[in-house]
Structures are given as structure tokens and as C-alpha cells.
Amino acid sequence: MTAPSLFRAWGKKTKSGSKAATESLEPQKVSKPQLLLPKGLSRRTSNETYPDSSSNGDFSTTDSVVSLDDSPSIHKKRTTRTVTLQARLNSLVSSRHCSTETIASLNTAYNNTAPTSLQQASYHVALQQVNASQLHEMLQAGLSPNPVSAQHNDSFLHWVCRQGRHDLLQVLLQHGCRLQVCNASGRTPLHEACASVTPNFLLVETLLKHDAQQCFLTDANHMLPLALVKRELRREWMDFLVRVANDVWPSSGNKIERSLLLRMPPNASPILDPIHALTPQVAAMVAARIMEPQEAVCLRYERKEDNDDYNNDNHVYPDVCEQDDSSESDFSLDENELSEILTLMSVPASA
């Protein structure tokens, strides 16, 4: 073999040796040992997040199932269980020694299926157009603070909460409106407030401070108020409930029992009319905004002038019939209309 051939052969051997040495210095990849389980067996792990950003304020508990079969790959099954807004409220309330037992509102004294004639006469769709000042004048004149529709037993209070009208709710409460009511569907005022697309949390806070037990009353469809909250609003609702919890459910060492109305049967606690109530006929005209509240009070005074107790009612508009011409009301009655109304007032109201 010639010299050039020897050099070429020696160079090839050197290169191959260097490559083998370099490969021996590289870290070796070690395969991760796999858990060998008999076929059909699985291992379950649980992980809970609080709260889950993808669940709009709900709890999200994820269960992972890891199993092995004949194939070399590991199969994972993930399931998510959501804890409702009501469950989180129950945890919050029970920690304060308050009852979280649910009750059907239609089985309690909240269900009043026998409203008075004045309460029915005081309800009209025209009330939905009044402001707080106008409603105050109507109620002060003798309209019922608990107007109820003859259809579905739906009250004006339900509409106020449905629309988030906190200003009107304040006026109703000022004149003695009862919040412990439900309509024919078993919905309480809180049901209507929770179902709103744009909830008024100031109104909800007022409802809860007067009657927090409405959180645990179900309607005819077995729905709790918080179950009606829109999914995209749940986180906002939970933040609100946590914020007002100390005021609505104060911590105490004693367990707080249910109110008396929840332990009474339907119609066991009727709602009374105000002492200065208008007659149902006049109240219907005031509610429909056919008659101004001032004129209605004047009619009541003219009727009471012949009674001995006239002077006992001077706490309602004592000077209303002596108003000057600067009044903004354009309502007027001639003698025939006044006579007809007075005759109508003398007719006893039907039960």
C-alpha cells in the first residue's frame, strides 16, 4: 500500500473515532416509567379552583381520570362539576348560624290570594309612568301602598323590582308596603330583582335588609331567586353578596329561626288598607291618572263634612282644598261630574 493510501485510511479511522467519542458525551434520554395498572382500573385525582375564570364566578371542580389499557398511550378523561351561586350563598349564610332551608312561597303567608277591593283598584298600568314624587302624592291621598293586579295576583311591587326602580321602592316602604308577598307563580320581589338583565344592587340590598329569607323561597317551578341570575352576571352577584353579608346576615352565636309568616298558611295574614284610604271607585281613577290626588282628597273632605269624625282626618292634606290658582293641575269637575262621583262614592264597594 502506498503512502497516500495509508494516510487516507488513517484519516477515516480518526474521524469515525471522534464522532463516537462525541456521541458518548451527549446526555442519554431516559424514558419516564409509566404506571402499570391492570386493565379496567383507573386513578382519579381532583383539583378545585376558586373561582374559575371561565365559569363566571361559579366554583369549578375538575376530576381527572387516568387509565391504562392495551394501547401504549395514557387516556385522560376530564369532567367539570359546577357549584351554583346558591350553594356558595348557603355556605356563606350557614357559617353565620342562619337557616338555609328552602320553602315554597305558595305554601306560606306570603301567598295572599284575597286582596282587598282598594288594593285591586289601586293597581293600574298608568302607575308605571309616575315618578317618586307623584307616587308619594297618590299614596298620601289614600291609594293603597300594596296595589295588586286581579290577573295573576301580580303586584306593583313586583314591577318596581323587575325594573330596578329603587326610588319607587323607597316611597312604597315609606307608606307601609309589605315586601313579604308572592304572585300566582310564587315569585317574590327578590325573584324579579334577580331575573333583571340590569340588576339594581341598591334595590336588592334594600330587599335583603328587610327580608333576607326571600333568598330561600322557591316559586311554582321550584326555582330559587339566585337561580334566575344571568350567567354573565354571577361573578358580580357573588361579589355583591359577600360585600353585604355582614349587614344582612350578622354573625351571632344563636341560630336564627324562620319568620312567623313562613310558618303560617296562605291567606293567614291579610294586608290591611291604610286608615285614610280612598274608596275603591276614586282610587281607581287616581291610579289611572284620570283624577289628581288633590281632587280625590277634596272629595273625601266634602263627604266627611257631614260626619262627626271629620276633624280626625285633618292629617292628610289639611289645606289641599284651599290651593290658589297657581296649581299646575289642569283637572276640573263641573257640578254634574261632581254629583255623579259623589253618588258613586256612596255605593258600597263589592267584596
Side-chain angles (χ1 to χ4, degrees):
M1 181 179 296
T2 60
S5 300
L6 289 174
F7 281 110
R8 284 195 298 268
W10 179 81
K12 289 181 180 180
K13 182 177 181 181
T14 303
K15 290 181 180 180
S16 61
S18 299
K19 183 177 181 181
T22 303
E23 291 178 351
S24 64
L25 294 178
E26 291 181 356
Q28 299 295 323
K29 295 182 180 180
V30 180
S31 59
K32 185 178 179 180
Q34 296 180 352
L35 177 64
L36 299 179
L37 296 175
K39 184 177 180 180
L41 296 182
S42 62
R43 181 185 63 197
R44 180 181 297 272
T45 61
S46 178
N47 181 32
E48 184 177 278
T49 59
Y50 177 86
D52 184 12
S53 59
S54 63
S55 61
N56 297 289
D58 286 343
F59 277 120
S60 179
T61 302
T62 303
D63 292 334
S64 300
V65 178
V66 182
S67 62
L68 286 176
D69 55 10
D70 295 336
S71 61
S73 60
I74 299 179
H75 298 273
K76 294 183 179 181
K77 179 182 178 182
R78 300 177 65 86
T79 59
T80 301
R81 294 181 290 109
T82 301
V83 180
T84 63
L85 183 62
Q86 184 69 39
R88 297 178 64 182
L89 175 65
N90 290 351
S91 177
L92 186 68
V93 173
S94 59
S95 65
R96 289 167 165 78
H97 305 282
C98 299
S99 175
T100 59
E101 177 189 2
T102 60
I103 300 177
S105 61
L106 292 175
N107 297 333
T108 68
Y110 281 55
N111 185 17
N112 182 21
T113 60
T116 65
S117 299
L118 177 66
Q119 292 165 7
Q120 295 186 50
S122 298
Y123 185 91
H124 196 278
V125 292
L127 288 177
Q128 300 176 6
Q129 306 300 325
V130 302
N131 55 35
S133 177
Q134 292 170 333
L135 180 62
H136 173 73
E137 291 182 358
M138 291 179 172
L139 297 177
Q140 193 171 12
L143 215 62
S144 172
N146 300 280
V148 178
S149 171
Q151 185 178 12
H152 305 305
N153 204 33
D154 205 32
S155 69
F156 179 62
L157 174 63
H158 282 81
W159 179 87
V160 168
C161 295
R162 192 180 306 131
Q163 299 298 321
R165 295 294 302 273
H166 182 256
D167 55 338
L168 299 184
L169 176 63
Q170 291 286 73
V171 175
L172 290 174
L173 291 174
Q174 179 184 349
H175 288 272
C177 174
R178 183 192 286 188
L179 298 182
Q180 293 80 7
V181 294
C182 69
N183 57 20
S185 299
R187 285 198 171 193
T188 64
L190 186 59
H191 276 93
E192 302 297 341
C194 290
S196 176
V197 179
T198 55
N200 186 332
F201 289 111
L202 186 59
L203 179 143
V204 177
E205 183 176 357
T206 301
L207 291 177
L208 293 179
K209 287 183 177 180
H210 282 81
D211 185 22
Q213 296 175 116
Q214 291 190 25
C215 289
F216 307 101
L217 297 183
T218 60
D219 60 12
N221 296 321
H222 310 288
M223 299 289 288
L224 290 164
L226 291 180
L228 304 179
V229 173
K230 307 300 180 185
R231 181 176 179 83
E232 61 273 12
L233 300 174
R234 290 175 186 170
R235 178 183 294 275
E236 189 176 359
W237 269 89
M238 193 60 218
D239 292 341
F240 160 76
L241 292 173
V242 171
R243 177 170 56 84
V244 302
N246 291 331
D247 295 330
V248 177
W249 299 281
S251 300
S252 63
N254 301 324
K255 184 176 180 179
I256 301 178
E257 299 295 337
R258 291 290 190 180
S259 68
L260 180 61
L261 288 176
L262 294 178
R263 301 196 298 268
M264 297 171 63
N267 299 319
S269 179
I271 303 175
L272 303 179
D273 292 333
I275 58 175
H276 61 285
L278 296 171
T279 63
Q281 294 85 358
V282 176
M285 289 187 286
V286 174
R289 306 189 71 182
I290 298 174
M291 179 185 293
E292 292 291 332
Q294 293 86 349
E295 274 75 23
V297 174
C298 286
L299 290 177
R300 185 174 67 239
Y301 271 87
E302 291 182 12
R303 187 185 182 189
K304 287 181 177 291
E305 283 179 350
D306 298 332
N307 299 333
D308 295 335
D309 60 343
Y310 169 70
N311 293 327
N312 295 331
D313 196 33
N314 57 5
H315 61 283
V316 180
Y317 283 122
D319 302 324
V320 68
C321 298
E322 300 178 1
Q323 295 179 355
D324 55 20
D325 296 336
S326 62
S327 175
E328 298 180 357
S329 174
D330 57 354
F331 183 85
S332 63
L333 294 172
D334 57 26
E335 294 183 359
N336 294 333
E337 292 174 331
L338 181 59
S339 176
E340 181 180 354
I341 292 176
L342 291 176
T343 302
L344 191 62
M345 291 173 62
S346 63
V347 178
S350 58

